[in-house]
Amino acid sequence: MENNAKKIVSDCNFSGIRPAMMDLPYPPIQVREKNRDYADLLSIDYCGMVSELSAITQYINNQNRMFCENCSMARTILGIAMAEMMHLQKLGELIHLLGGKVCFVSRQPGGRQWMWSPECLAIPENFDKMLLADIESERAAINQYQMHIKRIQDTYVNDVLCRIIKDEEYHIMMLRAMLNQIE
């Protein structure tokens, strides 16, 4: 029996996408010594309100909502999400080396714990507002990393955070260029 139903197929090809990152090496993932306070700070970058986990989830959601209408933009967003995944992986390694626990609970100052939730995400409906929310999230991440760099007295850890910031700045440049294309 033949099905005469019309197929709906995406013509957006995501093969060959690479992480959208600066063409610079990352410093080795190492720490001077175990430090649970530093691990707790990085847990906020890992899975707090402003975090790599939030960025990944927000970008993947945006990519999935735009791929049929704007394949080129969706491919770029997926590349940014892939870079954020690499940041998450590097932060997880640092947290572990610092003696912290790698999970989806961030340890806030004062001993409070906070579990990651989709409530962290900004999910506007139209593309320009998505891109603006993504730019704002990148800026917030940069500000948070800079605050953590001031508190962490381990040059090995801070070198990795500074390198991540370079990618976040690159993402802002890419997002602004996409925003200019649709305005």
Side-chain angles (χ1 to χ4, degrees):
M1 187 169 182
E2 190 173 312
N3 185 350
N4 291 328
K6 182 179 178 183
K7 288 184 187 177
I8 301 173
V9 179
S10 168
D11 62 352
C12 191
N13 184 344
F14 291 100
S15 66
I17 295 178
R18 299 177 50 86
M21 303 168 63
M22 295 292 294
D23 190 19
L24 299 168
Y26 271 87
I29 304 300
Q30 58 189 350
V31 300
R32 190 176 37 174
E33 61 190 8
K34 288 187 183 264
N35 186 314
R36 290 295 302 262
D37 291 335
Y38 295 169
D40 289 351
L41 280 176
L42 294 184
S43 77
I44 296 168
D45 300 320
Y46 187 85
C47 65
M49 286 288 288
V50 173
S51 67
E52 297 299 337
L53 183 60
S54 293
I56 293 163
T57 308
Q58 184 167 310
Y59 283 125
I60 292 296
N61 184 280
N62 289 348
Q63 176 269 316
N64 282 322
R65 292 186 308 144
M66 67 176 50
F67 80 94
C68 283
E69 295 176 48
N70 193 324
C71 181
S72 173
M73 193 179 293
R75 288 175 56 84
T76 300
I77 293 294
L78 183 58
I80 294 172
M82 292 168 72
E84 304 296 1
M85 288 177 206
M86 294 185 71
H87 299 164
L88 184 77
Q89 183 268 332
K90 291 179 184 319
L91 289 171
E93 286 185 24
L94 288 171
I95 291 167
H96 181 76
L97 291 174
L98 289 164
K101 184 176 179 183
V102 180
C103 61
F104 296 113
V105 175
S106 62
R107 284 150 181 80
Q108 309 291 317
R112 293 174 300 148
Q113 294 186 8
W114 188 83
M115 181 171 270
W116 186 87
S117 160
E119 294 173 2
C120 301
L121 307 178
I123 312 280
E125 286 303 314
N126 62 34
F127 294 169
D128 60 336
K129 288 190 173 140
M130 281 183 209
L131 295 173
L132 288 169
D134 292 342
I135 290 168
E136 185 53 40
S137 295
E138 294 284 357
R139 285 185 185 141
I142 291 168
N143 289 338
Q144 183 169 282
Y145 280 126
Q146 289 171 337
M147 286 189 312
H148 290 171
I149 287 168
K150 289 177 185 172
R151 293 182 59 194
I152 294 172
Q153 301 299 310
D154 183 324
T155 55
Y156 298 127
V157 173
N158 285 341
D159 286 348
V160 174
L161 299 183
C162 287
R163 176 58 187 83
I164 290 173
I165 287 172
K166 290 182 187 314
D167 286 340
E168 308 299 16
E169 292 168 338
Y170 182 57
H171 297 162
I172 290 173
M173 182 202 68
M174 295 173 75
L175 293 163
R176 282 185 180 149
M178 287 190 291
L179 188 59
N180 289 337
Q181 287 176 0
I182 62 174
E183 288 183 337

